[in-house]
Amino acid sequence: MKVTNKSNSYTYGIIILSISAAMLLTLAFPPLNFFPVAFIALFPLNIIIYKADKIRYYVLSSFLFVIVFFGYLLVWVAAFMLKETEAAVSFLALFTILFLLTLLFYFPAMIVSGYLSKAFPNIRFLIVPAVFTVMEYMRNVGYLGFPWGIIGYSQWNFIPFIQIADTIGVLGISFLIYLSNAVITHYLILYVEKSESVKNNKKISNKKIFIPAIATAAVFFIVLIYGFIKVNYVEAKRVSMPKTKMALIQKSFDPNIPWNSIYTGEPYKRNSPGIQGLAERFLLKSEKFQSEEKPDGYTQNSTISVKRICKLATDAALSKPSLIVYPESVTMDSYNYYLSRYEEMFRYGMASNSTYPAIYNTYLLYSTIRDTQTHHLLGTTIIEENTNKNAYNPYKYYNGIAFINEQGNIVDDYKKIKLVPGGEAYPFQNNKFLLNTFPFKNIIALIYEQFDKAGASRWEIGDKISVFEHPNGYRFSGIICYESAFGDFVRQFAYYGAETIAVITEDAWSYSDNSLLQHFYMSVFRAIENRRDIVHNGNSGVTGHISSSGKVISTLPFWKPDYMIANVALNDNITIYTRFGEWFVVLCFIGIIALFIIKLSNVIKNIYKKIKDKIYNQIKKTKLKNNKKDIKYTIDNEKHIYDINKKEENTQSIFDQSTSEIYNTLNEIIEEDEKNNK
């Protein structure tokens, strides 16, 4: 009974510690943004890592931490599917993401760091940050790459501290936060162990006990000194850098309203009853959008949207920017497709009365671009002919960016490379073997059917890093939405010559301020990592300008049509991070592998020693048996001689006594040896 109660209390402790860590960490992220909490938030989780002795405790802890922290952070993900499916399916999709985060990342990280921490307790405060930093990097890799919730992003407004990101990236910032938590936990456990040793009259060595604290304090001091110096240096240097004006257009049009339906001016509503309706009212807050246009009963949403951006672009052009930047998918009517077919009609105004909305909308954009007499960076669908004659669809569709000159012609384009899993790309969509092999093709078909029902899309994947050449003499790149979350990906644009970067996004479908902010703060790190000014342009926010020191220079209000002018500094210098990428993560990985090798070599040595001792004992035992046989032979021989002498002489001689003594002595040796063996 006592054992059961002890086990239950231990489980309750795991639950309390895991939930406490998750709740503390949420305070460091939007909307509260209380960044100092992140440096202590994970000490309850580290206690479990250091002390838990059963796998089930790691399973329970990692699951609870992910459910609470990421469930809060990513609740807006359910809104993506809720507009197309039932609430149960939407929240099941969110739960699937949380389950995968637990299974693939947080549970393995806890079990590995726990194992190594117990094997090397003196350096456990380094093991935990190294393992979790590598784990966060793995969250950036592959089809399921999803970097939201990386702990380094919690420090977006601690500007001096994050300047070191130009060397170690956001994952290096994560390492420092994990280090702070690990060192605090290290000393908490040492204090408890010391208290217990005093009660039990045991001594604990205090030798070198302060080295972790001193080393950590020194690292943080150096990082902060570097940060303060770097901020002032970068901002001072920006003053003398060449600059260019860019206009950012925030159209703030609800993307959940069907593009080709008649404009009503009403916010998007499903008006479902029961639990479904409750979920929709909780997540689909479409009333945030502000519509000024009056419905006429026949104009489509697409035309209203395009007219809105044309008006904003015309107003912004009065400031004479060198480039006007639009959000992601600002028009769903492919600019390149309709321009290639109707350019002559557009040039002579013959499409001004077209009754086909896609042609008319593209004509409006074309005319506006020519009227503004400047270059434009347009988020649009790119359609190309499929060269594969056996393909089911004769066209390829890309989520892309068109770089357009003042004549309305496309100079260059960029096709999105990193697609949102499930939202823009389906699993295995380029794997011909699985798609054509039984039973995989049947299983995949079933998965795709569910994605289709949820309103997901299947875009083609781009294959080229594009750096655009502006006639004003500078080079720049545009990246699309989800891509800005991947530091090791974005750095390639700077490495190949981009002097500034435009991030165009469409986060408005979530109806969530937190979603907009979480995405925007990632761009703060991309600016520091590459020392590039970044313009971040969202459909309904966040639209803003970030300097190369990570300072947010200006932003527009959310959920309101507007534009802003950004005076963007141009820089072509390469940082350590831009050149070498995630070198710091590689260092952490090498350290982990080295510890496993050391542990493995120790295990092999112990096994070798045990085998050696066993063989030695076996040899010794064999020799002992042989000695026993020799002793018994001697005893028998002596006894035989004694008996013969007895028969020959009836009287006792002086030698009889000696023989008897030898016999007794040998008997004593045998008895003593048998006792020892027992």
Side-chain angles (χ1 to χ4, degrees), residues 125 158 230 235 259 280 327 352 360 447 455 556 576 600:
F125 61 90
F158 192 4
K230 199 71 176 181
E235 288 299 321
W259 183 252
E280 290 170 6
S352 60
Y360 178 67
I447 295 172
L556 289 176
I576 291 175
L600 182 62

Side-chain angles (χ1 to χ4, degrees), residues 8 28 169 233 255 276 307 383 398 426 449 464 469 507 517 524 541 544 591 593 642 668:
N8 288 340
Y233 173 77
Q276 177 76 18
K307 284 184 175 180
I383 301 176
Y398 298 89
Y426 290 5
E449 184 181 346
K464 184 183 72 171
E469 299 272 358
D507 298 319
L517 291 168
V524 170
I593 296 299
Y642 174 76
E668 287 174 2

Side-chain angles (χ1 to χ4, degrees), residues 509-578:
W509 53 263
S510 67
Y511 302 117
S512 167
D513 291 6
N514 285 352
S515 168
L516 306 184
L517 291 168
Q518 288 169 22
H519 200 172
F520 179 69
Y521 297 152
M522 292 177 178
S523 290
V524 170
F525 284 87
R526 304 297 88 85
I528 296 172
E529 287 165 349
N530 302 287
R531 293 301 174 194
R532 299 291 190 270
D533 274 27
I534 285 184
V535 291
H536 186 106
N537 192 357
N539 171 19
S540 57
V542 176
T543 299
H545 176 201
I546 304 167
S547 79
S548 53
S549 69
K551 290 184 176 180
V552 179
I553 296 173
S554 58
T555 59
L556 289 176
F558 300 171
W559 316 107
K560 180 183 177 182
D562 205 349
Y563 73 90
M564 65 175 286
I565 304 297
N567 200 24
V568 179
L570 305 171
N571 180 28
D572 59 0
N573 293 329
I574 300 295
T575 67
I576 291 175
Y577 180 81
T578 302

Side-chain angles (χ1 to χ4, degrees), residues 112-123:
V112 169
S113 55
Y115 174 76
L116 290 177
S117 294
K118 291 175 181 63
F120 304 95
N122 292 331
I123 57 169

Side-chain angles (χ1 to χ4, degrees), residues 166-436:
D166 66 356
T167 302
I168 58 178
V170 69
L171 295 178
I173 303 299
S174 289
F175 177 91
L176 295 174
I177 299 170
Y178 286 122
L179 176 64
S180 169
N181 283 276
V183 168
I184 290 170
T185 314
H186 178 73
Y187 282 105
L188 281 173
I189 290 177
L190 284 180
Y191 176 78
V192 172
E193 289 174 347
K194 186 177 180 181
S195 300
E196 290 177 352
S197 67
V198 170
K199 289 180 182 178
N200 299 324
N201 295 321
K202 292 181 180 179
K203 288 185 178 180
I204 289 182
S205 175
N206 291 327
K207 190 177 181 181
K208 299 180 181 178
I209 194 172
F210 296 110
I211 288 180
I214 294 170
T216 303
V219 168
F220 275 72
F221 178 76
I222 292 170
V223 167
L224 285 171
I225 291 298
Y226 175 85
F228 283 113
I229 293 172
K230 199 71 176 181
V231 167
N232 292 326
Y233 173 77
V234 170
E235 288 299 321
K237 193 175 179 182
R238 279 189 77 252
V239 174
S240 58
M241 281 181 177
K243 295 181 177 64
T244 188
K245 278 186 183 180
M246 291 186 182
L248 311 181
I249 306 300
Q250 179 175 289
K251 73 169 183 174
S252 193
F253 197 89
D254 191 342
N256 292 327
I257 295 177
W259 183 252
N260 293 322
S261 62
I262 301 300
Y263 174 73
T264 64
E266 296 293 325
Y268 174 81
K269 293 289 182 184
R270 292 188 69 186
N271 298 319
S272 301
I275 295 175
Q276 177 76 18
L278 184 65
E280 290 170 6
R281 287 190 293 275
F282 175 66
L283 290 175
L284 304 182
K285 298 180 179 178
S286 57
E287 63 276 3
K288 291 182 176 183
F289 284 98
Q290 302 175 19
S291 298
E292 299 176 355
E293 297 86 356
K294 294 181 179 180
D296 55 17
Y298 59 87
T299 303
Q300 289 190 355
N301 289 312
S302 59
T303 303
I304 296 294
S305 177
V306 169
K307 284 184 175 180
R308 184 182 292 183
I309 61 174
C310 288
K311 181 180 183 303
L312 291 169
T314 301
D315 294 342
L318 298 176
S319 300
K320 299 191 180 303
S322 67
L323 185 69
I324 297 179
V325 183
Y326 301 84
E328 176 190 14
S329 301
V330 73
T331 173
M332 297 301 294
D333 302 317
S334 175
Y335 188 85
N336 79 301
Y337 178 83
Y338 290 103
L339 181 66
S340 64
R341 282 158 175 75
Y342 304 104
E343 182 179 3
E344 192 169 341
M345 288 178 61
F346 293 165
R347 189 181 304 126
Y348 295 107
M350 296 168 63
S352 60
N353 295 317
S354 175
T355 56
Y356 189 59
I359 296 174
Y360 178 67
N361 296 339
T362 307
Y363 166 73
L364 289 177
L365 272 173
Y366 177 83
S367 299
T368 300
I369 290 170
R370 289 172 66 91
D371 291 343
T372 56
Q373 284 298 293
T374 189
H375 284 67
H376 293 244
L377 197 68
L378 188 72
T380 182
T381 302
I382 295 176
I383 301 176
E384 293 181 350
E385 289 187 8
N386 197 334
T387 55
N388 182 2
K389 294 181 180 179
N390 297 321
Y392 173 76
N393 195 322
Y395 297 101
K396 289 184 177 181
Y397 296 84
Y398 298 89
N399 186 356
I401 296 174
F403 178 41
I404 306 169
N405 64 18
E406 68 275 10
Q407 299 302 317
N409 298 319
I410 297 175
V411 178
D412 201 353
D413 63 32
Y414 169 69
K415 304 177 185 73
K416 190 175 182 181
I417 296 172
K418 281 196 168 291
L419 303 179
V420 180
E424 294 178 319
Y426 290 5
F428 318 115
Q429 71 178 44
N430 291 331
N431 192 316
K432 293 181 180 179
F433 172 77
L434 293 179
L435 291 174
N436 296 300

Side-chain angles (χ1 to χ4, degrees), residues 6 10 32 85 89 95 100 195 197 243 252 333 362 394 412 423 428 438 446 499 506 509 541 583 609 624 638 650 658:
K6 186 177 180 181
Y10 201 97
L32 295 177
T85 63
V89 177
F95 180 80
L100 291 173
S195 300
S197 67
K243 295 181 177 64
S252 193
D333 302 317
T362 307
D412 201 353
F428 318 115
F438 178 84
L446 184 63
E499 297 170 78
E506 172 56 281
W509 53 263
W583 66 270
K609 187 175 183 301
L624 193 58
E638 289 288 342
N650 293 324
S658 303

Side-chain angles (χ1 to χ4, degrees), residues 642-655:
Y642 174 76
D643 291 340
I644 292 171
N645 289 336
K646 253 318 193 184
K647 289 179 182 178
E648 290 178 354
E649 299 178 10
N650 293 324
T651 58
Q652 190 178 18
S653 70
I654 191 168
F655 294 105

Side-chain angles (χ1 to χ4, degrees), residues 446-516:
L446 184 63
I447 295 172
Y448 285 6
E449 184 181 346
Q450 299 307 312
F451 279 136
D452 291 338
K453 287 180 180 179
S457 302
R458 199 186 319 179
W459 299 90
E460 297 291 335
I461 301 172
D463 58 2
K464 184 183 72 171
I465 298 291
S466 297
V467 179
F468 303 128
E469 299 272 358
H470 197 283
N472 285 16
Y474 66 88
R475 307 178 76 199
F476 71 99
S477 289
I479 57 177
I480 303 172
C481 195
Y482 183 68
E483 294 179 319
S484 68
F486 300 87
D488 199 38
F489 174 74
V490 174
R491 74 176 182 87
Q492 298 177 60
F493 293 86
Y495 183 79
Y496 288 113
E499 297 170 78
T500 185
I501 295 171
V503 178
I504 67 170
T505 75
E506 172 56 281
D507 298 319
W509 53 263
S510 67
Y511 302 117
S512 167
D513 291 6
N514 285 352
S515 168
L516 306 184

